[in-house]
């Protein structure tokens, strides 16, 4: 009896682990506001943004992420990124923007499973 219960427990644990590895188990997508907050928190940590710049950057990224949630083509995505970058250049200095494009933006991209 104990052997069956132990085996059942191990099988259930393995099933939960497999489901989580496949992306199950409540892996909801973040809202545009949550995604923007995450990016702005990174920018604030990296560049010591004041409250005004944080507010402006948040607005830029919320607009960007809301636009990205709609089914868009690769061409539209490129245009949206260009628009976002133009707005962001008004918030960040040239050096900060360069660091964003070179270091921070690549780390923000979703990782694709192979």
């Amino acid at each position: 009896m104990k052997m069956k219960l132990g085996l059942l427990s191990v099988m259930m644990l393995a099933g939960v682990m497999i489901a989580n590895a496949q992306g199950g188990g409540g892996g909801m997508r973040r809202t545009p506001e949550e995604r923007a907050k995450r990016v702005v928190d990174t920018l604030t940590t990296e560049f010591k943004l004041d409250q005004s710049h944080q507010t402006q950057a948040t607005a830029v990224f919320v607009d960007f992420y809301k636009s990205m949630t709609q089914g868009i083509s690769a061409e539209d995505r490129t245009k949206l990124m260009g628009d976002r970058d133009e707005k962001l250049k008004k918030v960040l200095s040239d050096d900060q923007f360069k660091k964003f494009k070179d270091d921070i933006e690549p780390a923000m991209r979703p990782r694709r499973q192979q």
Side-chain angles (χ1 to χ4, degrees):
M1 181 68 174
K2 288 182 181 180
M3 180 88 151
K4 288 181 183 179
L5 186 58
L7 184 58
L8 179 62
S9 297
V10 168
M11 289 175 59
M12 288 178 59
L13 180 62
V16 168
M17 290 174 63
I18 290 170
N20 282 334
Q22 297 297 323
M28 291 178 26
R29 300 191 110 229
R30 291 186 175 105
T31 65
E33 291 79 8
E34 292 169 335
R35 294 173 74 186
K37 181 182 181 332
R38 183 171 167 241
V39 174
V40 172
D41 287 347
T42 301
L43 294 176
T44 300
T45 301
E46 197 67 36
F47 303 135
K48 309 293 186 235
L49 298 180
D50 62 23
Q51 187 62 44
S52 171
H53 287 103
Q54 289 177 29
T55 302
Q56 291 171 347
T58 299
V60 169
F61 282 102
V62 167
D63 289 345
F64 172 70
Y65 286 128
K66 281 184 178 179
S67 298
M68 293 290 283
T69 58
Q70 303 163 3
I72 60 173
S73 68
E75 184 178 327
D76 290 340
R77 182 174 315 207
T78 303
K79 182 183 179 314
L80 287 173
M81 290 175 72
D83 292 346
R84 178 207 61 195
D85 289 350
E86 287 303 314
K87 293 175 187 174
L88 204 53
K89 285 179 183 178
K90 296 175 184 174
V91 177
L92 303 176
S93 70
D94 291 340
D95 290 338
Q96 290 173 331
F97 181 76
K98 181 175 177 5
K99 182 167 178 131
F100 167 75
K101 290 300 282 183
D102 294 343
D103 299 335
I104 298 171
E105 185 182 37
M108 292 179 355
R109 293 186 185 128
R111 287 155 182 74
R112 305 270 185 227
Q113 293 183 353
Q114 295 180 351

